[in-house]
Amino acid sequence: MKKQIDFPKQLPRRQAQQRAEQFLVEIQKELTPDQAAQLVAINLETGEYVLGKEGEVLEVSRAFRKRFPDQLPYVVRVDGGPVTKFHGM
């Protein structure tokens, strides 16, 4: 028997990106420069967020899901940089 996973309602990609950028600008006003390298998981419906340490993507995602169980997080660094870096072989 397969277990069904119910995913939360998602915004179209372009709309989600625009909302994330708008919310991130407001969050950056509050948190930069002191917390620029930390991660932020943003609720794209309300603009609320969960803050976490750099490199702890799973921890910040879990904290977000605990606080907002029916939402998908948009995870980015506070300064807008990448969450992780991939290096070639």
Side-chain angles (χ1 to χ4, degrees), residues 6 26 30-32 41-42 53 61 71 77 80 82:
D6 294 325
E26 296 301 317
E30 294 176 29
L31 301 177
T32 53
I42 305 171
K53 294 180 183 177
S61 295
Q71 301 294 320
R77 282 176 32 145

Side-chain angles (χ1 to χ4, degrees), residues 1-78:
M1 179 176 181
K2 284 190 172 184
K3 192 174 190 180
Q4 183 176 349
I5 299 173
D6 294 325
F7 289 103
K9 179 183 163 196
Q10 297 181 27
L11 295 171
R13 182 178 297 195
R14 188 172 307 259
Q15 185 179 359
Q17 183 67 33
Q18 290 171 347
R19 290 187 80 155
E21 289 172 5
Q22 292 170 349
F23 288 135
L24 185 59
V25 168
E26 296 301 317
I27 292 167
Q28 287 173 336
K29 290 177 186 176
E30 294 176 29
L31 301 177
T32 53
D34 297 334
Q35 298 168 318
Q38 290 193 333
L39 299 179
V40 62
I42 305 171
N43 181 332
L44 296 181
E45 288 191 11
T46 64
E48 296 176 283
Y49 60 90
V50 174
L51 197 60
K53 294 180 183 177
E54 182 179 15
E56 296 184 357
V57 179
L58 288 177
E59 288 80 0
V60 76
S61 295
R62 285 182 186 139
F64 180 91
R65 296 290 293 180
K66 187 175 182 180
R67 185 170 172 194
F68 309 106
D70 297 330
Q71 301 294 320
L72 290 175
Y74 182 87
V75 181
V76 67
R77 282 176 32 145
V78 172

